[in-house]
């Protein structure tokens, strides 16, 4: 796909404009600092992009303010005493080194026990914990998938998990493939259900328009509460490079 990348300043907002061979313009605001990116059809000039951005300035600034106020963890070192999350609950990490099998278990609803080989470095400890998060998230998906496919009236061909820096989920409507962010293993179950339902609705409506909102209202009447809960949850530290 041919792309052309430029930068504009619109009402004191820095905007990255990426022109592609697409039909519709899309405006996105991304964490951690509220970076604004516009994906625009190649045929649109700067003036048309400016008008589109100006029309959404209130929404853009609201999103940037939300990111600025959201709690964000410092970079994790995966050492005893750190705070880590699972299904919305906060745990104190207890790292145990030894010759036994690596893994994670929860103790007394307060302690997250991380067993690793003696001398394991930060990257190895992180890998053990992330594998555990992935298994736990994968175990929750089949029942949720069945529930929301039935409620929404769709069938996703594939549902996968990966780490994503700027999205909680994504949907490839042509391939009928949904991706969920591994970070959702840390969030309350209602947040996972909201993201999954959101992406499934995209199989019926690609855009965040009135029809999309109507479909979300019908499938999950409380979706706005779950969205706000997700937005209030602490963000993981990331090396946010683009």
């Amino acid at each position: 796909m041919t792309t052309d990348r430029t930068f504009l300043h619109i009402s004191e907002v820095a905007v990255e404009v990426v022109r592609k061979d697409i039909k519709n313009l899309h405006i996105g605001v991304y964490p951690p600092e509220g970076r604004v990116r516009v994906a625009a059809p190649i045929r649109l000039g700067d003036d048309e992009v400016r008008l589109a951005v100006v029309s959404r300035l209130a929404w853009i600034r609201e999103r940037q303010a939300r990111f600025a106020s959201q709690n964000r963890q410092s970079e994790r070192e995966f050492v005893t005493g750190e705070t880590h999350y699972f299904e919305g609950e906060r745990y104190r990490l207890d790292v145990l080194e030894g010759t036994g099998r690596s893994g994670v278990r929860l103790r007394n609803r307060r302690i997250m026990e991380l067993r690793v080989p003696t001398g394991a470095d930060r990257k190895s400890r992180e890998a053990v914990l992330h594998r555990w998060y992935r298994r736990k998230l994968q175990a929750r998906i089949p029942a949720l998938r069945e529930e929301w496919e039935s409620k929404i009236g769709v069938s996703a061909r594939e549902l996968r998990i990966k780490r994503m820096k700027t999205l909680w989920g994504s949907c490839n409507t042509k391939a009928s493939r949904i991706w969920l962010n591994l970070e959702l293993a840390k969030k309350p179950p209602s947040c996972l259900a909201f993201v999954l339902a959101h992406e499934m609705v995209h199989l019926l409506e690609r855009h965040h328009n009135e029809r999309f909102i109507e479909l979300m209202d019908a499938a999950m009447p409380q979706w706005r509460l779950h969205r706000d809960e997700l937005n209030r949850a602490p963000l993981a530290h990331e090396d946010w490079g683009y």
Side-chain angles (χ1 to χ4, degrees), residues 30-99:
Y30 301 102
E33 305 298 339
R35 176 180 67 103
V36 180
R37 180 180 183 273
V38 175
I42 294 172
R43 60 182 168 77
L44 290 187
D46 286 352
D47 288 344
E48 291 165 298
V49 172
R50 288 179 185 276
L51 284 173
V53 172
V54 167
S55 71
R56 301 295 302 280
L57 272 177
W59 174 81
I60 289 170
R61 286 173 172 150
E62 184 274 331
R63 294 286 293 173
Q64 290 178 327
R66 183 184 298 173
F67 286 134
S69 64
Q70 193 165 4
N71 291 332
R72 187 170 290 111
Q73 291 183 330
S74 60
E75 186 172 7
R76 303 288 87 177
E77 296 296 332
F78 301 91
V79 296
T80 295
E82 278 185 342
T83 295
H84 289 260
Y85 291 84
F86 175 62
E87 294 188 356
E89 299 295 330
R90 182 175 177 174
Y91 293 87
R92 176 182 177 275
L93 193 66
D94 185 14
V95 179
L96 303 177
E97 296 189 20
T99 57

Side-chain angles (χ1 to χ4, degrees), residues 15-180:
V15 179
E16 178 188 12
V17 182
V18 180
R19 288 183 171 84
K20 302 180 180 181
D21 185 16
I22 56 178
K23 293 182 179 180
N24 299 300
L25 180 144
H26 173 75
I27 300 174
V29 183
Y30 301 102
E33 305 298 339
R35 176 180 67 103
V36 180
R37 180 180 183 273
V38 175
I42 294 172
R43 60 182 168 77
L44 290 187
D46 286 352
D47 288 344
E48 291 165 298
V49 172
R50 288 179 185 276
L51 284 173
V53 172
V54 167
S55 71
R56 301 295 302 280
L57 272 177
W59 174 81
I60 289 170
R61 286 173 172 150
E62 184 274 331
R63 294 286 293 173
Q64 290 178 327
R66 183 184 298 173
F67 286 134
S69 64
Q70 193 165 4
N71 291 332
R72 187 170 290 111
Q73 291 183 330
S74 60
E75 186 172 7
R76 303 288 87 177
E77 296 296 332
F78 301 91
V79 296
T80 295
E82 278 185 342
T83 295
H84 289 260
Y85 291 84
F86 175 62
E87 294 188 356
E89 299 295 330
R90 182 175 177 174
Y91 293 87
R92 176 182 177 275
L93 193 66
D94 185 14
V95 179
L96 303 177
E97 296 189 20
T99 57
R101 186 175 180 178
S102 297
V104 178
R105 76 181 182 99
L106 304 179
R107 301 196 323 248
N108 303 325
R109 299 179 62 87
R110 293 181 298 135
I111 304 297
M112 181 179 288
E113 183 181 290
L114 175 62
R115 290 185 174 273
V116 295
T118 301
D121 60 13
R122 179 197 174 280
K123 186 175 181 179
S124 299
R125 296 177 183 201
E126 180 183 30
V128 172
L129 185 53
H130 283 178
R131 284 196 298 270
W132 181 78
Y133 277 135
R134 183 177 294 274
R135 288 195 301 271
K136 291 295 185 180
L137 189 56
Q138 285 175 331
R140 294 162 62 189
I141 285 175
L144 277 175
R145 178 178 183 174
E146 182 178 356
E147 175 186 357
W148 290 102
E149 284 184 338
S150 176
K151 286 182 178 180
I152 297 169
V154 297
S155 179
R157 185 172 301 162
E158 293 182 274
L159 208 162
R160 301 181 182 180
I161 298 168
K162 66 178 177 179
R163 295 185 69 189
M164 294 185 278
K165 288 187 175 182
T166 61
L167 297 170
W168 291 116
S170 66
C171 178
N172 183 322
T173 55
K174 290 184 178 179
S176 190
R177 180 185 302 119
I178 291 172
W179 289 96
L180 297 175

Side-chain angles (χ1 to χ4, degrees), residues 185-204:
K186 304 176 184 179
K187 308 307 177 187
S190 56
C191 294
L192 172 60
F194 159 67
V195 174
L196 181 57
H198 179 110
E199 301 308 330
M200 283 187 174
V201 168
H202 275 309
L203 293 173
L204 298 175

